[in-house]
Amino acid sequence: MLGGKLVVADFEVANGVLTGVSINGDFFLEPDEALDDINRSLEGLPAHASHGELTAAVVQGLDPTAELFGFSPEAVATAVRRALGLATGWADHQWDVIGPTPLSTEMHVAMDEVLTRDVGDGRRNPTLRFWEWESPSVVIGSFQSMRNEVNPEGVLRHGVSVVRRISGGGAMFMEHGNAITYSLYLPQTLVDSLSFAESYPFLDTWVMDALRTLGIEAWYQPLNDIATDVGKIGGAAQKRLSNGGMLHHVTMSYNIDADKMLEVLRIGKEKLSDKGTRSAKKRVDPLRRQTGRSREDIIKVMIDTFRAKYGAQDSTFTDDEVARAERLVEDKFGTRDWLYRVT
């Protein structure tokens, strides 16, 4: 659906190709004959054609003078992929929510891998999970250099653990109560029609709604920063697995000790304003300052918004998920080989 107009694709698959294609819906199209051109452009295409290939076929099949109102070639491609079960919408899934649960930082990143893989394998519903911290930690991106990102003297002085996650992006400094972090585990079919850059704001539409409820007007600043008119408040990262599972997670600053952060992380002067401070003698507290609400209140609004928007139900970790995450900590996330895989 694009611009409020519904696009439906009816067809059969015979010998691996589309046949008897009929695109229909409540959209507008001029001239009438252009609908026949769209149908012909899709006839005989492989059922495994990508979204881009389907879109290109429709564009090529249409006369340049044809006018589409309320839909697009991309919307047609999405309708075909959805009919094949290769693209989905939020309403096609039962969503679960796991509220803030204290775990070691190694267990948090291990749980990200376990739950992403389980959603891809169909063993778990798509799930939103909020993190809670047991100890001060730095979580670095999958491809970051330990030497370039972390100050070992500061880490030792403040008793901070360092863990590497499976997604890319930058380093995060966490202490209990100073940030809001959540992970979204979903099938890649949900972002089938979107580019990598487009998937970030799409997956966080509900977050923007929640922030609006809290009095904050926020938006995505490409590629992966969440910003307001007073600066950056958070950042996102993603990881897509070969089994079709996808991880999208976000960390937003609630009340970070900037002094400690700058002693633990190697942050150049050019990044200070991006982190929300020009001087180490202050705190990075955009959510606390802009809302005047407690961290717990903000998380509650976020969960309530997600539940109302997508019909999500409460969930928790299974014993098997916990056991598998613990094994991943032992074999991967708790090892020096993984932590120093980029030195």
Side-chain angles (χ1 to χ4, degrees):
M1 187 176 291
L2 181 70
K5 299 306 176 184
L6 181 67
V7 182
V8 178
D10 292 320
F11 54 84
E12 294 182 357
V13 177
N15 298 319
V17 300
L18 309 183
T19 182
V21 178
S22 173
I23 300 300
N24 54 91
D26 61 355
F27 50 78
F28 301 93
L29 177 63
E30 294 290 346
D32 286 354
E33 294 76 16
L35 186 59
D36 295 329
D37 294 336
I38 292 175
N39 291 335
R40 277 193 295 270
S41 70
L42 297 169
E43 192 76 23
L45 287 184
H48 58 73
S50 69
H51 189 274
E53 291 168 338
L54 293 168
T55 300
V58 173
V59 171
Q60 187 173 358
L62 280 170
D63 188 289
T65 62
E67 295 188 74
L68 287 66
F69 302 95
F71 79 122
S72 66
E74 290 80 6
V76 173
T78 297
V80 171
R81 297 276 290 180
R82 289 191 70 173
L84 290 164
L86 300 174
T88 58
W90 292 92
D92 294 321
H93 304 284
Q94 173 60 61
W95 292 87
D96 289 349
V97 176
I98 300 175
T101 306
L103 297 172
S104 70
T105 312
E106 291 88 353
M107 278 291 288
H108 275 304
V109 295
M111 196 61 75
D112 269 357
E113 181 167 327
V114 167
L115 298 187
T116 304
R117 197 167 299 282
D118 280 2
V119 169
D121 288 341
R123 297 175 54 170
R124 164 177 274 279
N125 290 334
T127 299
L128 170 68
R129 176 177 78 90
F130 283 83
W131 297 31
E132 191 56 270
W133 304 98
E134 286 188 341
S135 60
S137 301
V138 167
V139 183
I140 62 174
S142 180
F143 310 108
Q144 286 191 297
S145 161
M146 274 285 290
R147 179 174 58 250
N148 292 340
E149 300 297 330
V150 178
N151 180 349
E153 291 81 10
V155 164
L156 183 63
R157 183 182 314 120
H158 295 292
V160 174
S161 62
V162 183
V163 179
R164 186 183 297 275
R165 63 182 186 266
I166 62 172
S167 63
M172 310 181 299
F173 169 61
M174 311 294 190
E175 289 183 292
H176 180 75
N178 77 352
I180 295 175
T181 297
Y182 62 84
S183 294
L184 193 62
Y185 314 102
L186 61 137
Q188 293 172 36
T189 54
L190 188 64
V191 295
D192 179 78
S193 62
L194 304 177
S195 69
F196 190 77
E198 290 169 337
S199 69
Y200 279 90
F202 172 76
L203 292 175
D204 281 332
T205 302
W206 64 277
V207 179
M208 302 308 166
D209 291 346
L211 291 174
R212 199 170 295 115
T213 299
L214 292 161
I216 298 177
E217 196 64 40
W219 60 86
Y220 254 91
Q221 192 167 293
L223 172 66
N224 62 332
D225 287 344
I226 298 175
T228 70
D229 56 4
V230 297
K232 177 179 174 179
I233 63 172
Q238 293 182 355
K239 177 67 176 180
R240 305 183 187 208
L241 302 184
S242 60
N243 73 342
M246 179 175 173
L247 165 66
H248 172 90
H249 53 187
V250 169
T251 292
M252 291 187 283
S253 300
Y254 178 74
N255 190 26
I256 292 177
D257 185 331
D259 281 343
K260 192 178 296 184
M261 177 180 72
L262 293 173
E263 291 178 19
V264 169
L265 298 178
R266 297 188 189 278
I267 301 176
K269 291 182 180 179
E270 71 280 0
K271 283 193 175 182
L272 285 179
S273 59
D274 180 55
K275 294 289 184 183
T277 178
R278 294 185 181 278
S279 166
K281 301 300 182 182
K282 64 184 295 186
R283 301 186 74 87
V284 183
D285 62 346
L287 287 181
R288 188 188 68 161
R289 183 165 17 98
Q290 291 186 56
T291 66
R293 304 276 286 270
S294 70
R295 177 176 172 272
E296 292 72 23
D297 283 348
I298 294 173
I299 291 175
K300 183 180 185 303
V301 169
M302 294 173 72
I303 291 176
D304 288 347
T305 301
F306 191 86
R307 280 202 197 104
K309 196 173 183 71
Y310 304 126
Q313 61 188 11
D314 290 340
S315 182
T316 187
F317 306 126
T318 68
D319 291 342
D320 178 64
E321 288 166 346
V322 172
R324 284 185 287 132
E326 289 173 342
R327 287 196 296 272
L328 268 177
V329 170
E330 183 177 347
D331 298 337
K332 180 178 180 179
F333 293 106
T335 68
R336 286 184 59 85
D337 285 347
W338 172 253
L339 181 60
Y340 288 92
R341 77 186 197 99
V342 182
T343 57

